[in-house]
């Protein structure tokens, strides 16, 4: 049997996938302190089934996962695989190459594989039993292990010699067989207790069966007596039935007489019911008329109350309108007086304008006739033009005032018409 390779991914300091190939002969792993030589041995122990985190120099099993560095993120899984070749005879398998794999996650979940097939940790232990390969076998001798073996108890040293002698598997099988025998003996004890309990219950069941048989016999007698009693009751009921039939014949004649009397009374009752229905219909009509009159009265009273309220509101509105009309008439008189004054001013301006135009015509005539006095006439003409422009400006202002006064007058007349229409309404 030959250890061919060791493959590590995310195990302690081996963050990337690392494969160590072991060629036939002597193979050594050398390097300075802290380079990871002990991590290789820990990987071998771990993949062979080591369950103690302290033996792997950690506090818990998740410590074997690469925890990251400043330049590389931490991983969430660690995996180690170990491949053996030429191991058919030593391992007792049909394969010439055996690959065992162990995988652990940060949540504590572990997985085991043999040739990429899921298996149990127990299967790996049984596979390498008596081969000298194992987490505590003599094939792995770390520093201080020989001194520990020599100073340990004879029982601890015996385990190493038994592993070398190849009897560990048989002892494990013997231990498993003894455990199964103990389990079987415990089952036999339970079966014996069950048998005793069943035997104890058999007597009770026999007594219950005897009671059941007596109950069945008594029930047969009871059914026989019940049959005779039923026959006797049947005969008595037949005799009573004949008597009842005779009584029914006599009762039938009386029933017919009573039915004829009932029919006559029902005819009279029907006449009374028809008359009562007519009276009830008349009474209903009278009640409807009364209710209608009451509704009309209530409606009229409501309308009267509403009209009274409206009258009060109308009186108040008329009073307000009268006051507004008086105010509007006062404003209208003021505006009319203002319009009269404006008309007078316009007339004066027009007179002045006509006078200015006449003076301008006379000046133009004098200019045409007396050209030698041009300088004096032009000076006079310029003065007259300035006066004319001033008069025209005053005329335009008066025209604007007249337009505004006309607008106000029209608005006041419209407001007055609305107030008069409201007063008339």
């Amino acid at each position: 049997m030959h250890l061919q390779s060791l493959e590590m991914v995310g195990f302690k300091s081996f963050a990337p996938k690392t494969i160590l190939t072991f060629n036939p002969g002597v193979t050594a792993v050398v390097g300075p302190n802290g380079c990871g030589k002990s991590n290789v041995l820990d990987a071998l122990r771990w993949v062979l089934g080591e369950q103690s985190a302290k033996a792997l120099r950690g506090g818990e099993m998740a410590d074997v996962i690469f925890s990251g560095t400043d330049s590389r993120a931490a991983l969430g899984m660690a995996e180690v695989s170990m491949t053996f070749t030429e191991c058919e005879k030593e391992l007792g398998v049909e394969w010439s190459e055996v690959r065992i794999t162990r995988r652990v996650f940060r949540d504590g979940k572990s997985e085991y594989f043999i040739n990429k097939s899921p298996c149990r940790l127990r299967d790996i232990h049984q596979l390498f039993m008596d081969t000298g390969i194992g987490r505590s076998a003599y094939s792995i001798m770390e520093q201080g292990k020989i001194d520990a073996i020599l100073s340990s108890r004879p029982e601890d040293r015996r385990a190493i010699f038994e592993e070398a002698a190849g009897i560990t598997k048989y002892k494990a099988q013997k231990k498993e067989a003894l455990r199964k025998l103990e389990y079987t003996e415990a089952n036999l004890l339970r079966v014996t207790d069950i048998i005793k309990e069943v035997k104890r219950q058999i007597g009770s069941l026999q007594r219950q069966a005897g009671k059941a048989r007596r109950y069945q016999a008594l029930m047969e007698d009871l059914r026989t007596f019940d049959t005779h009693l039923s026959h006797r009751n049947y005969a008595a009921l037949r005799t009573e039935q004949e008597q009842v039939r005779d009584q029914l014949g006599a009762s039938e004649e009386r029933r017919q007489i009573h039915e004829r009397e009932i029919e006559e009374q029902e005819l009279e009752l029907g006449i009374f019911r028809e008359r009562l229905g007519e009276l009830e219909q008349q009474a209903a009509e009278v009640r409807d008329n009364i209710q209608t009159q009451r509704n009309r009265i209530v409606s009229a009273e409501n309308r009267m109350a509403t009209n009274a309220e409206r009258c009060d509101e109308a009186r108040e509105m008329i009073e307000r309108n009268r006051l507004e009309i008086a105010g509007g008439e006062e404003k209208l008189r003021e505006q009319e007086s203002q319009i009269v004054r404006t008309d007078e001013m316009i007339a004066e301006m027009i007179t002045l304008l006509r006078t200015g135009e006449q003076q301008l015509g006379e000046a133009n005539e004098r200019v045409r006739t007396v050209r030698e006095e041009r300088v004096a006439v032009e000076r006079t003409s310029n003065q007259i033009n300035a006066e004319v422009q001033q008069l025209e400006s005053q005329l335009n202002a008066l025209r604007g005032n007249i337009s505004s006064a006309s607008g106000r007058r029209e608005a006041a007349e419209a407001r007055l018409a609305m107030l008069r229409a409201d007063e008339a309404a």
Side-chain angles (χ1 to χ4, degrees), residues 384-398:
I384 292 171
N385 288 330
E387 292 177 357
V388 170
Q389 290 179 357
Q390 185 177 2
L391 293 174
E392 288 180 353
S393 300
Q394 293 177 358
L395 181 61
N396 292 329
L398 291 173

Side-chain angles (χ1 to χ4, degrees), residues 321-322 324-325 328-329 332 412-425:
N321 292 334
R322 284 177 180 174
E324 291 179 358
I325 289 169
E329 289 177 351
L332 182 61
E413 289 177 354
R415 178 62 179 169
L416 180 60
M418 291 176 61
L419 293 175
R420 287 176 178 175
D422 293 338
E423 184 179 5

